[in-house]
Amino acid sequence: MNNRQKTSLQFNQERKKHKKTVATFIIAFLSFSLVLAAISFLILLKKVNFKLSNLVDRKTTATTEETSSESVTSPENYSGKATVLAVCSTSDRELDFFSVLNLNMDEKQISVIPFDNETVVSFDGKTKSFSDIYLTGGALGIGQAIEKSYGIKVDRFIDVTESNFKRVMSYLGDVEITSDEKVNYKGKDFVLFLEEGVQSATGETVLSYYKYLDSDGRGNLTAEIIDYYLNSGKLSADQDSFDSLINLVNTNISAKDFSLVSKTANAFINDSSRNKTVCVSYSEVTDNG
């Protein structure tokens, strides 16, 4: 094998390796999570000191014929907890909005915890807003600040730019959202037109709506989007979906993580007894050192 062939082979191997390890997108749900979150949460569903293999207790049932083949997760039998930070940023890498998704499979429920960008917390021995923390510390910095100030340990993060947020939404398809009022807004950075009530929305519209709402409104919107995708039949935690979304976001969710939780994620998606996603707020900041 000549040097050119060796170099080409090494390049292809590195590129494949990079694709496997480069960050992901619930999403999205989701925001999601942001949405983004809807997809976001599906890709992780596990935790415990960043060892996802210890997170979800995947109890399975199998017939005699199934014993020698791949086991199937029973929708009723799964458990575990995980916390995922979903962040959306501008093309200049400035913080747009973010939420924390609490995935509680014991309770069969997802909770969205929204935060305001300008809330001041402790970080690196100083008091800074989340916006300032993101500029220097990124999503990891926000996660560390949330753990220190609120006692919420973030297990995984998903960080997506506005342009890729819209690509994620395009991949998932339009979503149905609810507006309490008719909106006709024209601002410096975005415009937003909504009818009162339930309506179909593209990624562009959803992104503008996130910018229009306050933090609590964004949390409720994220919860609504997650439930829409969960109930629409559009979601499936399969390898093709993961491969299509992995390069659209920055994340510390790996391909191995996904392989460990895909069956549990699909069980949750198909479980008619799961609870509605809720938005919860943390009104008091705790000092954890």
Side-chain angles (χ1 to χ4, degrees):
M1 182 181 292
N2 59 40
N3 289 335
R4 169 179 280 183
Q5 290 174 320
K6 289 180 180 179
T7 301
S8 176
L9 179 59
Q10 291 172 347
F11 174 76
N12 288 333
Q13 289 174 337
E14 287 298 320
R15 183 169 58 181
K16 290 179 180 178
K17 181 180 179 181
H18 177 69
K19 182 178 179 181
K20 287 290 185 181
T21 58
V22 119
T24 251
F25 211 131
I26 237 92
I27 206 187
F29 276 170
L30 188 75
S31 135
F32 195 87
S33 145
L34 12 283
V35 113
L36 236 263
I39 264 295
S40 309
F41 86 86
L42 290 177
I43 303 177
L44 15 99
L45 289 182
K46 294 194 175 194
K47 152 190 178 189
V48 176
N49 296 327
F50 289 91
K51 296 180 180 178
L52 296 194
S53 59
N54 296 330
L55 172 62
V56 176
D57 178 17
R58 294 178 296 166
K59 303 174 184 176
T60 58
T61 57
T63 64
T64 303
E65 292 94 348
E66 293 171 334
T67 303
S68 60
S69 61
E70 186 177 13
S71 60
V72 179
T73 301
S74 169
E76 292 78 18
N77 296 325
Y78 55 85
S79 63
K81 299 176 182 179
T83 303
V84 183
L85 171 65
V87 179
C88 185
S89 60
T90 68
S91 58
D92 296 327
R93 301 306 297 168
E94 294 182 349
L95 184 61
D96 241 344
F97 48 86
F98 71 101
S99 296
V100 168
L101 306 179
N102 182 33
L103 315 173
N104 189 331
M105 297 299 96
D106 298 337
E107 300 294 334
K108 297 186 178 183
Q109 187 170 60
I110 299 171
S111 301
V112 181
I113 308 169
F115 291 89
D116 187 277
N117 293 359
E118 302 312 313
T119 296
V120 175
V121 294
S122 176
F123 182 72
D124 280 349
K126 300 178 181 179
T127 53
K128 297 181 178 180
S129 69
F130 282 119
S131 293
D132 290 336
I133 292 172
Y134 184 76
L135 287 174
T136 57
L140 279 175
I142 289 181
Q144 292 168 4
I146 287 175
E147 180 175 358
K148 180 177 178 60
S149 297
Y150 292 85
I152 304 170
K153 181 172 177 56
V154 174
D155 303 300
R156 290 292 188 272
F157 71 82
I158 298 167
D159 190 355
V160 62
T161 62
E162 290 183 1
S163 57
N164 281 342
F165 176 94
K166 289 183 283 189
R167 290 188 178 97
V168 170
M169 293 290 293
S170 177
Y171 178 84
L172 295 175
D174 291 355
V175 64
E176 287 188 359
I177 60 175
T178 304
S179 176
D180 294 333
E181 60 182 357
K182 185 173 183 177
V183 178
N184 188 342
Y185 175 82
K186 295 181 180 180
K188 181 175 65 174
D189 301 323
F190 68 96
V191 297
L192 177 64
F193 302 102
L194 292 175
E195 297 297 328
E196 183 178 357
V198 179
Q199 57 217 279
S200 179
T202 64
E204 180 77 39
T205 299
V206 171
L207 183 60
S208 296
Y209 199 18
Y210 270 114
K211 294 181 179 182
Y212 179 79
L213 295 168
D214 61 15
S215 58
D216 287 340
R218 291 193 291 268
N220 286 318
L221 177 59
T222 299
E224 183 179 19
I225 290 173
I226 289 174
D227 279 344
Y228 172 78
Y229 282 126
L230 281 173
N231 298 322
S232 67
K234 295 181 178 181
L235 283 182
S236 177
D238 56 50
Q239 191 65 49
D240 287 343
S241 296
F242 181 79
D243 290 343
S244 297
L245 295 167
I246 186 68
N247 289 322
L248 293 179
V249 302
N250 175 34
T251 184
N252 56 356
I253 300 169
S254 69
K256 182 179 180 180
D257 293 341
F258 174 75
S259 67
L260 290 171
V261 302
S262 58
K263 288 183 181 179
T264 301
N266 278 313
F268 180 74
I269 293 171
N270 295 314
D271 189 350
S272 60
S273 68
R274 55 179 157 72
N275 293 304
K276 184 177 179 180
T277 303
V278 295
C279 176
V280 297
S281 297
Y282 277 81
S283 56
E284 294 184 3
V285 177
T286 60
D287 184 3
N288 294 316

